[in-house]
Amino acid sequence: MQAGKPILYSYFRSSCSWRVRIALALKNIDYEMITINLIKDGGQQLAIIEYLEETRPTPRLLPQDPKKRAHVRMISDLIASGIQPLQNLSVLNQVGQENQLTWAQQVIASGFNALEQVLQSTAGKCCVGDEVSMADLCLVPQVANADRYKVDLSPYPTISRINKSLLALEAFQVSHPSRQPDTPPELRA
């Protein structure tokens, strides 16, 4: 028995919200969105995605194979806990306006250097093999942030290839920040 329609408190540009929106779209879950203006992203998105996986296991976002599942969780954590929080507005405000772009670029590049190495041994069409997983839900919003902060992606061919492939999928398109109800008109697709 399913509970009522889930409610997602979302901000169009939030990486955390975007990850959950992708999961909801992939699993074809109808939900209500309440838009809020977040000052800093929350860290609950991986727990929410795992909850969705446990309560609505189709399609799978965590592979059945324990080793692949561990890789998905490791990559997801690397992005959601190791890269993304360091370029949140709350952190950027601490480094000062004049240093924000450089700081964000350095943090993302450092994380992407590690991520590119990992993906070279785990990736197929997606971050881990050929099936979309929670790791892919983390990757796409982070690459969008890299673009936003003008990070040179040429040193990261695996990241770039996977991102391009994922952005062609409907779930990633409908969940994109440029297509959300609270997206400012000048940023709409």
Side-chain angles (χ1 to χ4, degrees):
M1 183 170 119
Q2 294 291 341
K5 187 189 285 191
I7 298 172
L8 174 63
Y9 294 90
S10 182
Y11 174 62
F12 82 100
R13 195 175 260 166
S14 164
S15 299
C16 299
S17 296
W18 190 1
R19 291 177 187 124
V20 175
R21 290 192 307 260
I22 297 167
L24 291 164
L26 282 168
K27 292 181 174 291
N28 201 24
I29 299 171
D30 188 27
Y31 63 97
E32 179 182 343
M33 182 185 304
I34 297 176
T35 58
I36 57 174
N37 188 350
L38 294 177
I39 294 184
K40 62 181 186 177
D41 283 336
Q44 304 84 8
Q45 79 272 1
L46 297 182
I48 293 168
I49 293 167
E50 292 225 21
Y51 172 80
L52 292 173
E53 181 70 3
E54 291 172 5
T55 59
R56 295 169 173 99
T58 308
R60 293 188 142 286
L61 297 178
L62 291 169
Q64 283 189 296
D65 177 73
K67 186 173 182 176
K68 287 183 179 180
R69 194 166 52 245
H71 284 137
V72 166
R73 287 183 169 129
M74 185 263 301
I75 292 166
S76 300
D77 188 58
L78 172 63
I79 297 168
S81 299
I83 304 172
Q84 181 250 323
L86 296 173
Q87 42 134 80
N88 278 352
L89 190 56
S90 61
V91 174
L92 291 175
N93 286 337
Q94 296 297 313
V95 301
Q97 185 72 35
E98 67 283 354
N99 299 319
Q100 288 182 359
L101 182 62
T102 303
W103 170 266
Q105 289 171 336
Q106 289 173 346
V107 165
I108 295 169
S110 174
F112 275 13
N113 285 332
L115 181 60
E116 181 72 18
Q117 286 187 342
V118 170
L119 293 177
Q120 287 174 6
S121 66
T122 63
K125 294 176 187 172
C126 300
C127 287
V128 178
D130 294 330
E131 300 295 322
V132 174
S133 72
M134 182 168 68
D136 301 296
L137 279 57
C138 293
L139 179 73
V140 170
Q142 187 56 59
V143 174
N145 285 336
D147 286 340
R148 184 172 158 213
Y149 291 113
K150 300 173 179 55
V151 173
D152 176 13
L153 295 176
S154 62
Y156 315 111
T158 310
I159 291 171
S160 297
R161 175 183 57 77
I162 294 168
N163 184 66
K164 183 179 178 183
S165 160
L166 293 168
L167 284 173
L169 301 176
E170 182 181 2
F172 289 83
Q173 292 174 11
V174 300
S175 62
H176 194 278
S178 66
R179 295 186 172 183
Q180 300 312 302
D182 59 331
T183 305
E186 67 274 12
L187 299 177
R188 288 191 179 275

